Each structure stands twice: as C-alpha cells, then as structure tokens.
Amino acid sequence: MTALDVRPAARRGPVARWRILVPAAGLAVIALVSLVGPFFLVDPLDVGAGEPLSGPSGAHLFGVDQYGMDVLSRVVSAGRIDLLLALSASAIALVAGIPLGAFAGYRGGAWDQGLLRVAESFQAFPTMLLAMGVTLALGPSLPNLVAVIAVVNIPLYMRLARSAVIPLREADFVLAARCAGRSTFQIVRQHIVPNIAQVAIAQFSVTCAWAIQVLAGLSFIGIGVRMPTAEWGSMIRQGTDHMVTGQWWLSVFPGLAILLTVLALNQIAAAARRWGGPS
Amino acid sequence: MTAPLLQARHLVKRYGRGARSVVAVDGVDFTLHRGEILGIVGESGSGKSTLGRILLKLTAPTSGEVWLDGSRVDRLSERAFRPYRRTIQAVFQQPQAAFDPRWTVRRSIEEFHLLRGEPRSGAAATIEALAREVRLDPALLDRLPGQVSGGQLQRLSIARALAARPALLVLDEPTSALDVSIRAQIVRLLLALRDEERLTYVLISHDMEVIRAMATRVAVMRHGVWVEEGPAERVLGAPAHPYTKKLLAAADAGMDLIRPGRGR
Amino acid sequence: MSGLLIEDLRVTIGTAAGPVHALRGVDLAIPPGTFLGLVGESGSGKSLTASAVLGMLPEAATVDAGRVLLDGADILKASRRELRRIRGSQVAAIFQNPVATLNPLIRVGDQIAELIRIHRGAPRRRAAVEAVDLLAAMGIAEPRRRARQYPHQYSGGMAQRAALARALACSPRLLIADEPTTGLDATVQAEVLALIVDRVRAAGASVLLITHDLAAAAQVCERVAVMHDGAVVEQGPTAQVLTAPRDPYTRSLIDSYVLAVDGDTPVEAR
C-alpha cells in the first residue's frame, strides 16, 4: 500500500531547479569567459594597448587604464586568477575540513572535544586579520594566499560536518554498517560523508564567494596579488585614484565582476540549502 | 551439551556519572540456547533496546559480561569482534532508516555479504537467492530504499542480516513500524526462516501479540530490571509478577472482543 | 438530523504522479452521544476523512461529491469564518503525538484558557481557573503547577490528557480522536482511552475514533467502520463487525491483527 504524497504537485521541484540553474548558468558564463576570453583579447599586460585613461569605446569596450592596458582584457584575465584561487582554497578547506569534522562528530568523546577546541581557536581571530597577518609574515605569494584562505575556512567545514554527522551517528543505517563489521573510517567515508554532501556544496559556494572578496580585499590594501598581474581587487585599488577625476571605468568594471560572481555563488548556496538535507 | 549460544552475566549500563546518572540496564542475566526465541517485553524506557545494543556490541556495558558461542566478547576490540559479527546480526524497527538512502538495496546487502569472507564473484547470485528467500522479486534489489515499501524493505533488511549467514538475530521491534497485515507477513516469514536457517532470535518488542505468536521464552523488563522470565506459556498464561499482569491486561483489553473462541 | 452524517464523500488529491482518488464514496453516521471507530491501515483514507470533517482538507485535495453534515449543516460549504467557529465549539480533535500538537512556547494552562476566552468570551481570570479545573478533571495531578508548565515538561500520556482538556474546553458536540493512543505505552494507552470514554460520556458528545488498533476500537466504540482503499467496506455494531465480519477485507484485517494464518489457526512457534 502506498502512502499518499499530498504535496501540491507544482511546489517544490521546478522552483528549486530554476533557482539553482540560473545562478549556475551565470557562474558558468563567467568561468567560460575568464577561461577562453584571453585567447581572443589583447594581452592584459600590454601597456601600449591604447591611449592611457581613454574611456570605453568601440576598440576598448571597458576603456583603458592609466598605464595604457586594456581594462576588458584585464578584467577577464583577472577572473582566471580570482576564480582559480577561490576554488582551490575552498576545495582545500572542504577536502580537509569535511572528513575531519565528520570523524570528530562520529567518534565523539576526546577526539571530538580536541578537534573542536583547535577549530575554535582558529575562529577566535577575525578572519581578515588572520589572513593579513599570515600574508605579511609569509609574503604575499599566490600559494600563501590560497593556504591562508583555506586554513581559515577549515574550521567552518569541520563544524558543519560535525553537526550534520551527529544525528547520522545514531541512524539505523549507520548502526547496521557497524553490524556489518565496517571500520569507523569506512563508515565515515562510505555512509556519512556522501550523506552530508548537500550542506557541503552550499558551504562551498559561500566559501568561494567569501574567498573572492577576501582576495580582493587583501589586494585592495596592497598585500594580495601585486601589479602588474591583473586581479579584481588590485584593479579597483588602481582605479580609485582616478574615480574623483571621472575615470570611473577603471574600478567599476572589476567591481561589477566581483559583484556578479559573488551574487551567483551566494544564490547557488541559497538554492542548495533550500533543496534540503539528505533525502 | 554444547555451550549456550548467548549468555549475559549481570549486565549493567549506566549513562552519566554520580548522582545524576541513569541506569538503563540494571543487572540482567540470561542464557540463550540454540533454537530458542527469547521475547523481551517492556514499555518505553525499560532498557530493552539498550540491552539489544549491548548484545550487538553497538554500546559497551558499564559492567557485566557477554558470552557469544562460548567466548567472552564484551571486552574485545571492534577488530577482534569482527568474526563474531557473522554470528550475531540485527533487524531494526524503522526499515526506511536502516538503509543508506543513497545506496541501492543490493549494495547495502553486499556490505553484509562481505562478512562471509567469500569471493565477491558469487555475491550477486547469493543476494538474489536471499531476496527470493524473503519472498521478494530480486528486481527490487536495484532500487533505492525510498522506492521500496516499508514491508518489502523490512524483508530486505532481514535478507541483509541473513547475508552474513548468522546463527542469532537480534530483532529490535521488527514489526512496530508496519501495518498489521504486513506485521503478520513478517512474523510468518521470521518463523519460517527460523526453521529453514536454524536461527535463534532475541525478539525485543512492546507488542504482546507478536511476542505471543513468536517467543518460546519471555522476559519482562521494567526500569532496566528483568522482573520476570520463563517459558512463554507460563509467563503469558500465568504471570507471577504484578507488572507482567498489568502489561498483559493492558494488551488484552479489547482483544477478547476480537478473538472470542480463538485459543491462546 | 443531528450528529455527524457523511454521505458519499469523494475526494481527489493532485500529486506529482497525477490525481489520486483518495476517498471513493465514504458513508458514515455517528448519532449524538455515540462512539464510532474508523479502522484501517495506513493509506486507507481514514485520516483524510477526519480532515474533511474538520474542514481541513489539504490544499491539493478537491471534493468531487458528497456532504459532511454536522448537526444538519454542511461543513464542506462553510466559509472560513464559519469553520473557525465550528472548530473548537462544535467539533474538536486530538491527534497522535500530543506533545507536538501543543504549542511549545505557551504554557499548557494558557493554551486551554485562550480557547475558553475566544469561544465563550470568558474573562481572563475565570478562563485561567477553568483551565486548571479542566486539567484536574483529566486526572492530572497538581493541576495548578502543571498548568504553568510547558508542553515539553509533559510525558506523552500527560500531554494527551492536556490535549483532551483543550479539545473539550468548549464542550464540542463531536470529538475526533485520530490515533490518540498510538505511540503511548500499553498501560498508558489503556488509561487515556478510559479517560476519553469517561469525559466524553460526561459531556454527552460523540466520538470519531480513528485508529489502526482494532483492540482500542473494540474497547470503546459501539460501532465500527472499516476503511480500505478510500472506501468504507463494512460498518455496524462493534461485536458484529469484529466477530462475524461479512467483508473479506475485514476478515483478513482481523486475522492479521490476532496474528492468525489461514483463517482460524493462530500462528504458533512451537
């Protein structure tokens, strides 16, 4: 005998799908343009691309900056760096944080308490401050930036995984797996982690968005990506001096790029969360 | 005379410490021989499920001993206990919760088939044979748990337990989440399998009808204590403890109207 | 006619997989002051029938035909405002999982008093006193202290007593009890059932007891109706339906219930 599904037919599926597909498509376009765009545009480091500080025109859609470099070309190539750094840092945080948190939550006891304390001590610092401190100490190389962003996010993933795991720990199917003689490691890997993937995806989008902002922020204050490498945050910084004199295109276009990317990522996260936990 | 299949010696399970601790199982002793069905009856909070988990080594007892097939097992590490997992298996109350929602039923059963230590090549045929043994179409094996009805899923969880080829099954409220017609089917299946597979059961239930239909021996638990134990006819027919009488009276209320003339 | 009369109720539910004919012509009658047990397995439509009587059919449901007459007035035709008045003062309900049916953030006594104020216009002070009296009448010890507690401080059996107090606060003519004892311990079940009988009889109301538990229905109901697949397959005096069922489904349901195989042979392990 089948139980009746009394949900109104057109309430859940289509709306949720639309909410995730639109921002995902937007993000895909941004990623594709950053990836392929540079092959079709002028060299972003070419200081002779156009008349310095000339505004948007047919030849230079986003205008030219104070060094004579094409802004469109720089915005596009900066997308490569920003997305790559954000994705790799978030991926490292996820890959390290989720299993650690899942293990802590599943084992409980001293392991749980110990790992939780370590995570808390990281979270006690304001993240931006921590990132600034580490970059200043170790130098502002790209790997260092990735490492910093990853490290400050690991505790987030740990806590997320831990709180998702605790109800799963007592789930009958996990008890059944124990009855099948599976080891703790096997249970966490095969039963627990896949069942918390949904929350992890949501958090991943949030982290990426956050990482892009932090990266831009660090570059903006001059300890992130250095000139002449194109990066959205440093481009905004380069442009601020000229805002007051009316050359708005230097800062506005990279700013828009950050806005759209972060917006898409956050919308993906919101939709993934709305889709709910493990079905 | 062979060793008893399962023995509990003064099992105690205490949660928390000091004055605020709660005793879930309070000094339980019993011996279970092959072929018996020990029915453990009790209300919520009686400690019967905790006892079941201790027997399955899912929870460690605070004190006391568990002997399985002549060896003491309560102190063994998980790794050392692994060979015994073949001997003792479990069926849980909520069939929907007992399967990983992301795995096909077949894959969940394969996980238990590994315990046999047999080559994987024969697993598919064995698992299909198990599905037929619990009177199901093997085609169901390739579905996800959410696509199978509760009654079918409970049969599959019995098949999964049998995949380890156990001697002893701990059945924790195996029919409580099911409709009465499905409950009857599962009871019949469990009784038939006991004969076919020479199984021994520890049957934990609050459902007196299921206990009456299946148990050869009945124990009554209250507040962690084993208040009465004996052959099923004796405990259900002539209960000695006032609590057992009260439980039976509550279960029998209204039943006289439903089965006048039907024998006990 | 007074009491509850359901005539040829047909309800369709729109689901993702298309329309489902959930009720296919339900006929039921509960004369004033009597108990009717509506028994069946999950998915048989018994809870949906209760929702129709409460005027609380799910959004996806459409009534294709039939009438639900409570003391002569058709609930299916009532406006929202009329429904609000009917629920509480003429028909009230208790459900499975009583702790969840009480508002977790409001003291139990206040929840009962609120109903008394709304439906009977009693002043605040008197409503509070009456709420405590009602809890006492439901056999709750220390009612004054208990009235000040929150639902999570109640055990399942006690919460069902409080839910019953709230349901009976405005002297409804009909009480719908949807699996009121499911999930409670057997000894508590017996107490709660006895309380329902006692209090409802004292109030002269009638009861629609929805349950999968034949023994519970047998204990308290004069009449029993058996639902299967959206239709009532058999109804009549309890003893007659349960001991001499005419419908084959009723017979198989009873056989399952007493765990008998092949008609009359009880399942035996030995």
Side-chain angles (χ1 to χ4, degrees):
Chain A
M1 193 164 294
T2 51
L4 282 176
D5 183 4
V6 292
R7 263 181 331 193
R11 189 158 282 180
R12 291 200 73 181
V15 175
R17 204 164 296 150
W18 165 83
R19 278 179 185 280
I20 206 158
L21 280 183
V22 169
L27 189 67
V29 168
I30 294 170
L32 197 71
V33 167
S34 320
L35 211 63
V36 183
F39 297 116
F40 300 95
L41 296 165
V42 297
D43 181 359
L45 303 181
D46 179 6
V47 290
E51 180 67 22
L53 292 177
S54 59
S57 65
H60 304 284
L61 286 176
F62 285 9
V64 181
D65 71 4
Q66 66 267 50
Y67 306 106
M69 298 189 278
D70 181 61
V71 175
L72 171 63
S73 179
R74 286 180 66 75
V75 165
V76 168
S77 86
R80 275 189 176 181
I81 289 201
D82 279 281
L83 285 178
L84 184 73
L85 289 187
L87 283 175
S88 52
S90 305
I92 291 169
L94 180 137
V95 167
I98 293 284
L100 265 176
F103 176 77
Y106 183 73
R107 272 301 280 268
W111 276 100
D112 186 27
Q113 289 306 313
L115 285 166
L116 203 59
R117 288 295 96 80
V118 174
E120 271 169 3
S121 65
F122 271 100
Q123 289 196 299
F125 296 99
T127 38
M128 192 72 185
L129 214 63
L130 190 69
M132 281 167 63
V134 175
T135 354
L136 284 175
L138 301 177
S141 73
L142 291 188
N144 282 351
L145 280 172
V146 170
V148 166
I149 291 173
V151 166
V152 296
N153 276 294
I154 288 175
L156 278 180
Y157 284 96
M158 275 179 65
R159 298 177 75 102
L160 191 78
R162 182 179 170 275
S163 58
V165 161
I166 287 174
L168 283 178
R169 186 171 62 187
E170 291 297 307
D172 283 352
F173 72 86
V174 170
L175 295 182
R178 287 175 64 192
C179 287
R182 316 260 82 193
S183 69
T184 299
F185 178 73
Q186 285 168 323
I187 291 173
V188 169
R189 188 168 61 87
Q190 296 180 344
H191 291 286
I192 305 258
V193 169
N195 276 297
I196 58 179
Q198 203 132 32
V199 277
I201 289 169
Q203 182 60 34
F204 184 73
S205 301
V206 171
T207 317
C208 284
W210 182 87
I212 286 174
Q213 293 171 77
V214 167
L215 205 59
L218 289 174
S219 306
F220 183 84
I221 58 175
I223 54 171
V225 179
R226 291 280 171 88
M227 278 294 285
T229 311
E231 195 281 332
W232 290 334
S234 72
M235 286 176 71
I236 295 177
R237 177 186 161 80
Q238 300 295 325
T240 45
D241 298 344
H242 300 273
M243 278 296 266
V244 283
T245 51
Q247 286 90 9
W248 52 269
W249 53 91
L250 272 61
S251 296
V252 166
F253 289 114
L256 270 177
I258 292 177
L259 179 76
L260 289 175
T261 311
V262 169
L263 192 67
L265 285 164
N266 281 335
Q267 287 307 308
I268 291 172
R273 267 197 296 268
R274 199 176 291 219
W275 243 341
S279 47
Chain B
M1 187 75 192
T2 52
L5 185 55
L6 180 69
Q7 252 190 320
R9 292 190 187 159
H10 212 72
L11 282 176
V12 173
K13 178 66 185 180
R14 187 187 301 274
Y15 288 104
R17 282 195 202 120
R20 299 189 67 184
S21 69
V22 177
V23 182
V25 177
D26 197 356
V28 166
D29 285 280
F30 69 86
T31 301
L32 186 65
H33 292 281
R34 282 173 200 278
E36 287 187 306
I37 300 180
L38 172 64
I40 302 177
V41 195
E43 296 186 296
S44 54
S46 62
K48 58 189 194 303
S49 285
T50 304
L51 178 61
R53 286 186 180 201
I54 292 173
L55 300 178
L56 287 163
K57 210 167 153 60
L58 295 174
T59 298
T62 308
S63 63
E65 300 172 8
V66 180
W67 291 68
L68 191 59
D69 219 0
S71 326
R72 185 170 172 192
V73 296
D74 56 279
R75 292 289 179 80
L76 295 181
S77 70
E78 186 56 43
R79 185 185 296 264
F81 185 69
R82 192 159 191 255
Y84 295 93
R85 293 253 177 237
R86 282 165 63 180
T87 309
I88 183 166
Q89 276 299 332
V91 174
F92 298 99
Q93 176 173 359
Q94 295 283 351
Q96 299 289 358
F99 285 82
D100 190 322
R102 280 157 206 279
W103 284 17
T104 62
V105 173
R106 181 190 295 276
R107 187 165 166 210
S108 280
I109 298 179
E110 272 169 9
E111 194 176 36
F112 282 71
H113 183 266
L114 290 177
L115 280 172
R116 289 191 181 188
E118 290 172 9
R120 267 174 190 258
S121 54
T126 312
I127 289 167
E128 275 153 30
L130 282 167
R132 280 186 214 100
E133 201 175 341
V134 295
R135 287 70 165 161
L136 284 179
D137 182 353
L140 288 177
L141 291 170
D142 296 307
R143 297 200 191 167
L144 293 172
Q147 301 166 329
V148 183
S149 77
Q152 289 169 335
L153 210 49
Q154 195 61 311
R155 286 167 187 266
L156 289 166
S157 85
I158 293 168
R160 180 174 66 174
L162 295 182
R165 206 178 280 149
L168 171 63
L169 285 188
V170 175
L171 310 166
D172 189 356
E173 302 276 7
T175 60
S176 299
L178 306 173
D179 271 325
V180 285
S181 58
I182 314 289
R183 177 185 73 164
Q185 293 168 11
I186 296 290
V187 166
R188 256 173 259 160
L189 174 67
L190 286 169
L191 289 173
L193 288 174
R194 180 180 79 131
D195 296 336
E196 291 163 19
E197 299 280 320
R198 308 176 145 275
L199 291 166
T200 305
Y201 294 148
V202 173
L203 169 65
I204 296 165
S205 184
H206 71 275
D207 184 339
M208 210 56 95
E209 285 301 301
V210 172
I211 295 285
R212 206 188 288 283
M214 291 183 65
T216 59
R217 245 173 357 122
V218 172
V220 180
M221 262 185 104
R222 185 169 83 163
H223 302 326
V225 179
W226 209 244
V227 297
E228 181 166 5
E229 190 212 323
E233 312 89 86
R234 211 275 294 145
V235 176
L236 299 175
H241 196 280
Y243 179 69
T244 314
K245 288 180 187 163
K246 191 178 163 195
L247 270 186
L248 283 168
D252 275 346
M255 288 304 290
D256 317 337
L257 262 170
I258 297 172
R259 51 166 181 206
R262 289 194 209 268
R264 287 272 159 87
Chain C
M1 155 190 171
S2 56
L4 178 74
L5 185 66
I6 301 178
E7 285 179 347
D8 193 39
L9 181 60
R10 293 170 185 272
V11 171
T12 306
I13 291 187
T15 68
V20 173
H21 298 288
L23 298 181
R24 313 158 180 261
V26 174
D27 291 282
L28 284 177
I30 311 181
T34 62
F35 283 55
L36 175 79
L38 185 57
V39 301
E41 297 188 276
S42 52
S44 61
K46 52 191 198 306
S47 285
L48 198 64
T49 305
S51 307
V53 177
L54 286 164
M56 301 199 319
L57 283 170
E59 263 181 65
T62 47
V63 177
D64 303 321
R67 299 197 292 171
V68 178
L69 300 175
L70 186 65
D71 291 336
D74 193 343
I75 286 179
L76 300 177
K77 295 208 174 78
S79 67
R80 275 169 191 273
R81 179 194 291 261
E82 285 166 335
L83 274 178
R84 275 208 302 275
R85 191 184 50 77
I86 292 169
R87 290 200 288 258
S89 63
Q90 293 189 32
V91 48
I94 56 175
F95 300 95
Q96 188 180 347
N97 196 357
V99 177
T101 64
L102 295 167
N103 185 330
L105 301 176
I106 302 178
R107 296 172 200 275
V108 174
D110 293 349
Q111 299 190 37
I112 298 167
E114 185 195 13
L115 265 166
I116 297 173
R117 283 196 291 121
I118 292 171
H119 284 281
R120 296 218 306 261
R124 190 175 291 270
R125 179 86 43 97
R126 211 180 70 220
V129 173
E130 279 188 39
V132 172
D133 290 346
L134 262 171
L135 287 177
M138 298 303 148
I140 292 182
E142 298 183 76
R144 217 176 288 269
R145 184 172 68 85
R146 286 292 182 179
R148 285 196 300 270
Q149 290 185 331
Y150 291 91
H152 72 265
Q153 293 167 293
Y154 278 50
S155 68
M158 197 132 52
Q160 195 59 286
R161 286 166 190 269
L164 185 64
R166 189 177 61 167
L168 297 181
C170 300
S171 329
R173 306 310 305 148
L174 173 69
L175 175 73
I176 293 176
D178 191 351
E179 302 279 3
T181 57
T182 305
L184 299 179
D185 278 332
T187 51
V188 180
Q189 275 184 20
E191 291 166 15
V192 168
L193 273 180
L195 181 75
I196 293 174
V197 174
D198 183 56
R199 292 292 93 197
V200 170
R201 289 245 190 270
S206 44
V207 169
L208 174 60
L209 173 68
I210 292 165
T211 182
H212 71 279
D213 185 350
L214 293 183
Q219 269 177 84
V220 302
C221 296
E222 289 101 352
R223 293 170 58 80
V224 168
V226 182
M227 270 194 95
H228 178 53
D229 229 0
V232 174
V233 296
E234 181 164 8
Q235 64 181 308
T238 303
Q240 185 195 310
V241 172
L242 294 183
T243 56
R246 279 172 290 132
D247 183 84
Y249 175 76
T250 312
R251 177 172 294 280
S252 76
L253 186 69
I254 294 169
D255 284 344
S256 304
Y257 196 78
V258 298
L259 283 174
V261 276
D262 305 324
D264 282 318
T265 332
V267 175
E268 284 296 338
R270 296 166 288 277

